[in-house]
């Protein structure tokens, strides 16, 4: 704590049988001030802090009186407590891997406080990571940005659905890597023939009992010599679903420019504990089993994982 440019620390040095705590306040230049506080079983650290703050003014007055009558000999070096104290700015550092340790440099006029950065040891790292966490939204978004969400879900054995939207107007030169509009849990859309496609899942579905919603086109086909286009399911497996785009009036296959397939997996009761936690818990603490599992899937140590997220 700091008050009137005087740094000080305090310590509860003892508690007698009646509940009277002795508190020693020490100034930056080693002057001491003693005070007492009545405590009981419900007293908290915050209560002690507030009490100490209420005694700061008295301590400063006491220390000021002591400093007003220095006992020095003319021609001798000034005592340490009469030097100016300068605290330099603490450098930026990665608190996940380092700690900042202050140290003093003393000359005839000045006490200068600087900082040195040292690596955390194993026990210090354990303490830091015991309270470190990432929110569900942050974790999900970071994995999605890195295109790792599907692989993490697969590594956790979490059954999920799928979604793919693509532009097939390139016809024979269709390429999923360039004609993809959006996707989830889809590794590739393969053009089998005109208007016919296989949507390959990144994570295989647990069975073929999923629901598929298919749409195509984004224009009005109701004019003369036109008809709505239909995107229908031709074949479904746990690895992929095959669909075909046809004109509704003459069943001619067509490479339409906007196709969408949504797969809904209804086997929620088959989610394991990892799946339930991943979907519903608000925060992912680094010490939790699921976060450790994700960390292993990503191939990162504690520090790398924290920086990654």
């Amino acid at each position: 704590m700091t008050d009137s440019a005087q740094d000080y620390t305090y310590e509860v040095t003892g508690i007698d049988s009646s509940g009277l705590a002795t508190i020693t306040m020490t100034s930056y230049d080693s002057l001491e001030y003693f005070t007492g506080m009545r405590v009981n079983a419900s007293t908290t650290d915050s209560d002690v802090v507030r009490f100490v703050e209420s005694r700061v003014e008295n301590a400063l007055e006491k220390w000021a009186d002591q400093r007003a009558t220095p006992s020095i000999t003319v021609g001798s070096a000034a005592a340490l407590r009469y030097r100016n104290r300068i605290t330099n700015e603490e450098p930026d550092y990665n608190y996940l891997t380092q700690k900042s340790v202050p140290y003093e440099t003393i000359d005839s006029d000045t006490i200068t406080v600087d900082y040195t950065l040292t690596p955390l040891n194993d026990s210090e790292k354990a303490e830091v990571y015991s309270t470190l966490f990432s929110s569900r939204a942050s974790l999900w978004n970071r994995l999605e940005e890195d295109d790792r969400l599907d692989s993490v879900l697969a590594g956790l054995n979490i059954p999920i659905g799928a979604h793919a939207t693509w532009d097939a107007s390139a016809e024979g030169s269709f390429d999923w890597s360039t004609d993809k509009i959006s996707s989830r849990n889809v590794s590739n859309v393969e053009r089998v023939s005109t208007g016919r496609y296989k949507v390959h899942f990144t994570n295989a579905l647990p069975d073929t009992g999923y629901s598929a919603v298919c749409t195509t086109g984004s224009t009005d086909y109701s004019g003369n010599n036109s008809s709505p286009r239909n995107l229908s399911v031709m074949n479904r497996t746990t690895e992929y679903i095959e669909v075909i785009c046809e004109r509704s009036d003459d069943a001619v296959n067509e490479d339409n420019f906007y196709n969408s397939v949504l797969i809904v997996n209804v086997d929620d009761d088959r989610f394991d504990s990892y799946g339930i936690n991943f979907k519903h818990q608000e925060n992912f603490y680094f010490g939790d089993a699921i976060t450790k599992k994700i960390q292993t899937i990503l191939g990162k140590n504690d520090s790398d994982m924290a920086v990654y997220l």
Side-chain angles (χ1 to χ4, degrees):
M1 301 179 184
T2 300
D3 194 288
S4 301
Q6 305 298 327
D7 295 338
Y8 69 91
T9 59
Y10 72 90
E11 181 181 7
V12 178
T13 55
I15 304 176
D16 65 19
S17 59
S18 68
L20 181 63
T22 300
I23 300 174
T24 303
M25 299 171 63
T26 306
S27 71
Y28 76 88
D29 48 359
S30 301
L31 298 178
E32 292 184 332
Y33 176 85
F34 301 95
T35 186
M37 176 185 178
R38 188 69 62 183
V39 299
N40 53 51
S42 64
T43 302
T44 66
D45 289 345
S46 297
D47 295 331
V48 176
V49 170
R50 286 191 292 270
F51 176 80
V52 170
E53 290 174 342
S54 73
R55 306 299 295 166
V56 170
E57 186 174 349
N58 288 341
L60 291 177
E61 291 178 356
K62 184 72 173 180
W63 293 333
D65 290 342
Q66 295 180 54
R67 295 187 185 110
T69 57
S71 176
I72 60 175
T73 303
V74 175
S76 67
L80 182 62
R81 65 185 183 184
Y82 300 109
R83 289 182 170 90
N84 294 321
R85 187 180 185 86
I86 299 173
T87 302
N88 290 327
E89 184 176 355
E90 187 174 14
D92 293 332
Y93 66 97
N94 184 349
Y95 74 96
L96 304 172
T97 58
Q98 298 173 303
K99 62 180 177 181
S100 175
V101 180
Y103 67 94
E104 295 181 349
T105 302
I106 303 173
D107 60 26
S108 59
D109 299 313
T110 308
I111 303 172
T112 304
V113 180
D114 277 305
Y115 299 88
T116 183
L117 304 182
T118 61
L120 297 177
N121 59 38
D122 290 342
S123 62
E124 290 169 334
K125 283 184 178 180
E127 183 177 355
V128 170
Y129 286 93
S130 66
T131 58
L132 196 63
F133 69 89
S134 178
S135 69
R136 181 179 62 235
S138 296
L139 175 62
W140 185 281
N141 291 337
R142 184 66 184 91
L143 294 174
E144 191 168 33
E145 288 171 3
D146 197 33
D147 199 23
R148 299 294 300 274
L149 181 58
D150 289 339
S151 61
V152 166
L153 293 176
L156 295 174
N157 297 318
I158 299 176
I160 60 174
H163 163 257
T165 300
W166 67 94
D167 179 357
S169 60
E171 300 179 330
S173 59
F174 171 79
D175 186 339
W176 167 249
S177 64
T178 56
D179 295 324
K180 175 176 69 173
I181 297 173
S182 62
S183 70
R184 160 91 315 106
N185 193 31
V186 171
S187 60
N188 183 40
V189 173
E190 170 192 2
R191 183 180 184 271
V192 179
S193 60
T194 302
R196 193 159 182 161
Y197 310 90
K198 282 185 178 180
V199 179
H200 297 271
F201 307 135
T202 302
N203 303 333
L205 299 181
D207 53 47
T208 59
Y210 51 80
S211 299
V213 180
C214 306
T215 62
T216 185
S218 61
T219 189
D220 184 0
Y221 292 111
S222 61
N224 294 332
N225 300 320
S226 297
S227 64
R229 273 60 169 170
N230 296 324
L231 190 65
S232 306
V233 176
M234 298 294 293
N235 186 24
R236 69 176 68 208
T237 74
T238 58
E239 305 289 336
Y240 68 85
I241 186 170
E242 187 173 2
V243 296
I244 187 169
C245 178
E246 303 171 295
R247 294 202 299 254
S248 61
D249 57 350
D250 54 12
V252 172
N253 296 358
E254 182 177 279
D255 289 309
N256 212 327
F257 58 87
Y258 201 97
N259 304 272
S260 295
V261 174
L262 175 65
I263 305 298
V264 180
N265 173 36
V266 296
D267 277 346
D268 289 342
D269 59 324
R270 296 184 58 175
F271 279 18
D272 60 0
S273 60
Y274 281 144
I276 294 172
N277 287 338
F278 194 83
K279 293 286 187 179
H280 300 294
Q281 74 181 58
E282 182 177 351
N283 294 316
F284 290 81
Y285 285 86
F286 278 57
D288 290 348
I290 184 173
T291 311
K292 289 293 185 183
K293 176 71 173 179
I294 294 171
Q295 180 177 321
T296 301
I297 294 171
L298 295 175
K300 298 183 181 296
N301 60 33
D302 285 345
S303 298
D304 291 339
M305 183 69 171
V307 173
Y308 176 77
L309 294 179

